[in-house]
Amino acid sequence: MKLFFKILLLLLVSAAALLYWALQPQMPAASQVWLNGTILTMDDSQPSAEAVLVRGDRIVALGSRTDIEALIDAETVIHDLAGTTMLPGLVDAHSHFPASGMALFLADLRSPPVGLVETIPQLLERVSSQVQKTPAGEWVGGYGYDQLMLSEKRHPSLQELDAIAPNHPVFLMHVSGHMGVANSAAFKLVGFDQLQEDPAGGHIHRNSDGTINGLVEENAALAFQKPALDLSLMQFVAMVDFARNEYLSNGVTTAQASNASRQYVQGLTLAMGLNKIPQRLVVFPDYDSLGLELIEGQIKVAELASEQRHIGAIKLIADGSIQGFTGYLTHPYHSPYKGDAQYLGYPRIPLDELKNKVLNIAQAGFQAVIHGNGDASIDDILDAIDYVQNTLGQQVERTILIHAQMARPDQLQRMQALDVTPSFFVAHTYYWGDQHRDVLIGSERAKHISPLRSAENIGLRFSTHLDTPIVPMQPLLSAWSSVNRLTASGATLGEDERIGVTRALKAITLDAAWQVHMDHEIGSISVGKYADFTLLADNPLLHPEKLKDIQIIETIIGGVSYFQGKK
């Protein structure tokens, strides 16, 4: 019996040692050099180099091949770039990591150019398949449908969902993330089946006879999103694995988790502790949950942050989505919405409430990040910031305006004056450019969505982003859209707002890092910064027209290679 316990103890100690070893992060070589390729630094003081030297996880020298070779010692690992191009690691300026991993658990309802769903029957078939493999009574979810891309040009209905899922609550999330369609069981579960009025900042659509048709928008949709996306711990970890690989294979070394609650951050912290996330992570707390806890001092930033995990600006959502007709405009939508030729959309947060929330953020010493798509919403955001600055008697520092899709020239000037920095969802020109031009806002306004060149011309610093999982995490496609502004049909949308390749690359590296106060650590290949690199098969400066198709060869974080593509 004593021998048995000795063997058992030995096995437990061995298992603990193996687990400890498995959970240790990968360590970089003591000294490494990369040479024999093109190195684009994104640092204006030294735009390019022939070689770079790294010790541990930091860059210690870069310059000519001759100068760097003189610093090589017996411990140095030499990496031959073999003619490929090195960029600083790509920085995700705005997404919802790891939400793209929900593809593992929800029905994929996306349309071209991302998915395959083109009709309501195809959509319902995919939802029905999800229903068949889900136990009765449990939530069935779908994501990514787009009524503008379906041949019927409409949302699926409550009645259609009831027919295929009489025994399951169902919620299908629109591609924008700002609305969705639910069935009768879902309405009953969330308590909306008897509501006669809309929730503040949201809308429940009804038929002409007053009955619910299934579509819910903005704050009304939140009641369905939360239970439909309530994942187990194991599902969350699987979602992290999926998203990590997606981001790494697209060269992303710093990811962002926007609209985060404390529970969400705890899940990310656990995943990081298990070495599931090698990327650096920027967290944008959701104002109404973790944001208020931070503002009110219930929890301290130091309790959530680490060297790898940065707790950034507190997030507000001021309006909705242009392609969902919930973006808030100063002039009506191009196509009358539900027969209303004067329809403007609406604010998700009324102006007075927005002013108070921005003031709360500023008084607590936090940076604010505010979602605004329509130009009326952008007016509200800028008015709120102006109000706060006048109230406090000082400038509010570096507020990030997410999307800024319909920013007008006068609003760009106000951003400059108020120290507001936009992050443009410029890939809208590719994914929805044709719909913006023909259906949503008309050709004149569509030409000026995401006005990158106008911002550049006045010296307004900006980033670009993809808002993943709204669209796939492909930063080079964002840069390609910045340079080419082609729609999915191949039409040019806003030739005068195109920018050069170097500026487009800075928007997904250095300037994205600057927006969240991390440009002293990441965003350029500069001495003292982390050795975060993205290696490309071709030099993007020489191939502006095919930027989105350039292959990612390798993704390196802190001197450690985490992804290797085909060379």
Side-chain angles (χ1 to χ4, degrees):
M1 185 63 79
K2 288 183 178 180
L3 179 60
F4 170 78
F5 282 115
K6 286 182 178 179
I7 294 173
L8 180 60
L9 179 61
L10 179 61
L11 289 173
L12 290 173
V13 170
S14 299
L18 286 171
L19 180 62
Y20 175 81
W21 176 83
L23 294 181
Q24 296 309 298
Q26 290 181 254
M27 299 301 294
S31 174
Q32 301 181 80
V33 161
W34 283 264
L35 44 74
N36 196 28
T38 300
I39 300 175
L40 304 177
T41 68
M42 301 299 117
D43 183 341
D44 287 342
S45 66
Q46 190 175 357
S48 63
E50 294 180 345
V52 59
L53 173 66
V54 169
R55 296 199 191 282
D57 62 359
R58 299 275 182 169
I59 300 165
V60 296
L62 67 155
S64 71
R65 177 168 180 162
T66 300
D67 289 343
I68 300 302
E69 283 182 333
L71 301 175
I72 293 174
D73 57 31
E75 290 188 325
T76 303
V77 177
I78 300 174
H79 302 279
D80 184 357
L81 291 171
T84 59
T85 296
M86 172 184 280
L87 296 179
L90 304 185
V91 178
D92 163 28
H94 179 66
S95 78
H96 302 268
F97 183 93
S100 60
M102 67 184 178
L104 297 171
F105 311 110
L106 306 180
D108 184 350
L109 308 177
R110 295 175 295 177
S111 297
V114 178
L116 300 173
V117 176
E118 299 181 289
T119 68
I120 293 285
Q122 290 174 352
L123 180 150
L124 295 174
E125 182 180 357
R126 291 193 172 210
V127 177
S128 181
S129 295
Q130 193 76 10
V131 170
Q132 299 306 315
K133 56 187 179 184
T134 303
E138 292 188 10
W139 280 86
V140 172
Y143 77 102
Y145 85 87
D146 187 344
Q147 86 286 1
L148 296 175
M149 303 293 191
L150 298 173
S151 61
E152 296 86 353
K153 305 300 180 187
R154 67 171 177 84
H155 298 268
S157 70
L158 175 144
Q159 291 77 16
E160 287 169 328
L161 298 184
D162 281 352
I164 61 173
N167 302 311
H168 297 76
V170 176
F171 181 69
L172 310 182
M173 191 160 61
H174 186 262
V175 65
S176 67
H178 285 262
M179 62 192 64
V181 177
N183 70 347
S184 297
F187 268 89
K188 186 173 183 179
L189 272 178
V190 303
F192 276 17
D193 54 326
Q194 301 299 320
L195 277 185
Q196 299 301 313
E197 296 183 358
D198 289 338
H203 182 48
I204 300 171
H205 286 248
R206 299 177 186 275
N207 300 309
S208 57
D209 62 0
T211 57
I212 293 168
N213 73 12
L215 179 61
V216 287
E217 294 175 356
E218 300 303 333
N219 289 343
L222 293 179
F224 296 86
Q225 289 177 4
K226 290 178 180 178
L229 302 178
D230 185 19
L231 303 178
S232 69
L233 178 60
M234 294 303 294
Q235 286 176 316
F236 185 83
V237 171
M239 191 165 71
V240 165
D241 287 341
F242 181 99
R244 173 200 64 220
N245 294 334
E246 177 191 11
Y247 283 53
L248 286 174
S249 64
N250 283 282
V252 177
T253 58
T254 298
Q256 189 191 107
S258 189
N259 299 81
S261 64
R262 190 198 299 203
Q263 183 181 18
Y264 203 82
V265 176
Q266 289 171 340
L268 293 170
T269 301
L270 172 63
M272 286 177 155
L274 295 173
N275 281 333
K276 293 286 187 179
I277 305 175
Q279 291 96 339
R280 307 186 198 285
L281 195 61
V282 177
V283 176
F284 282 174
D286 168 60
Y287 178 91
D288 291 316
S289 57
L290 179 57
L292 280 177
E293 293 175 317
L294 290 165
I295 289 169
E296 295 169 358
Q298 299 174 34
I299 189 169
K300 304 295 184 184
V301 168
E303 298 174 46
L304 302 175
S306 69
E307 182 179 353
Q308 186 188 358
R309 188 173 54 257
H310 174 74
I311 305 301
I314 293 177
K315 177 77 179 290
L316 291 165
I317 302 176
D319 77 339
S321 154
I322 303 298
Q323 65 268 31
F325 289 92
T326 60
Y328 184 31
L329 311 184
T330 54
H331 297 284
Y333 280 83
H334 180 64
S335 299
Y337 183 59
K338 290 185 173 270
D340 183 359
Q342 299 306 310
Y343 178 77
L344 301 171
Y346 54 90
R348 185 158 162 168
I349 306 175
L351 179 56
D352 286 344
E353 183 182 342
L354 183 63
K355 288 178 178 179
N356 290 332
K357 288 184 174 181
V358 177
L359 180 61
N360 288 344
I361 293 170
Q363 286 179 319
F366 288 96
Q367 183 184 13
V369 53
I370 310 175
H371 162 119
N373 264 312
D375 56 339
S377 181
I378 295 170
D379 277 335
D380 279 0
I381 292 167
L382 297 178
D383 285 349
I385 295 166
D386 196 9
Y387 163 80
V388 171
Q389 292 190 166
N390 287 329
T391 300
L392 298 179
Q394 63 186 44
Q395 193 169 58
V396 176
E397 183 181 299
R398 207 176 298 178
T399 303
I400 304 171
L401 207 168
I402 290 293
H403 305 328
Q405 187 177 166
M406 296 189 65
R408 306 184 307 261
D410 63 296
Q411 292 175 326
L412 296 177
Q413 294 284 354
R414 284 193 76 191
M415 290 181 208
Q416 185 82 297
L418 294 169
D419 196 19
V420 173
T421 173
S423 183
F424 294 111
F425 191 169
V426 68
H428 263 280
T429 56
Y430 174 63
Y431 288 107
W432 292 282
D434 295 315
Q435 286 70 32
H436 280 304
R437 181 194 62 230
D438 301 336
V439 179
L440 297 164
I441 54 177
S443 60
E444 189 58 34
R445 285 185 290 181
K447 286 190 298 186
H448 298 290
I449 62 169
S450 298
L452 273 61
R453 173 58 68 85
S454 295
E456 182 182 30
N457 286 345
I458 65 170
L460 180 62
R461 203 165 180 180
F462 60 85
S463 69
T464 63
H465 65 269
L466 291 150
D467 206 11
T468 304
I470 305 305
V471 299
M473 178 49 65
Q474 297 173 324
L476 292 184
L477 184 144
S478 184
W480 172 84
S481 293
S482 302
V483 172
N484 297 282
R485 291 185 70 100
L486 296 178
T487 71
S489 69
T492 300
L493 187 70
E495 181 178 358
D496 292 343
E497 294 296 350
R498 296 185 300 192
I499 59 174
V501 174
T502 298
R503 184 67 193 83
L505 293 175
K506 283 185 178 179
I508 57 172
T509 54
L510 182 61
D511 290 337
W514 170 84
Q515 283 186 329
V516 292
H517 299 274
M518 293 181 67
D519 52 310
H520 63 295
E521 299 277 28
I522 60 173
S524 67
I525 300 175
S526 307
V527 172
K529 293 191 180 183
Y530 284 116
D532 294 357
F533 307 129
T534 301
L535 274 54
L536 310 181
D538 296 302
N539 184 343
L541 301 182
L542 303 179
H543 303 282
E545 75 291 342
K546 69 168 194 173
L547 231 173
K548 67 180 176 65
D549 301 314
I550 294 178
Q551 184 182 354
I552 305 293
I553 296 297
E554 192 169 5
T555 303
I556 298 163
I557 304 173
V560 176
S561 178
Y562 286 97
F563 169 80
Q564 300 88 39
K566 296 180 181 178
K567 295 187 179 181

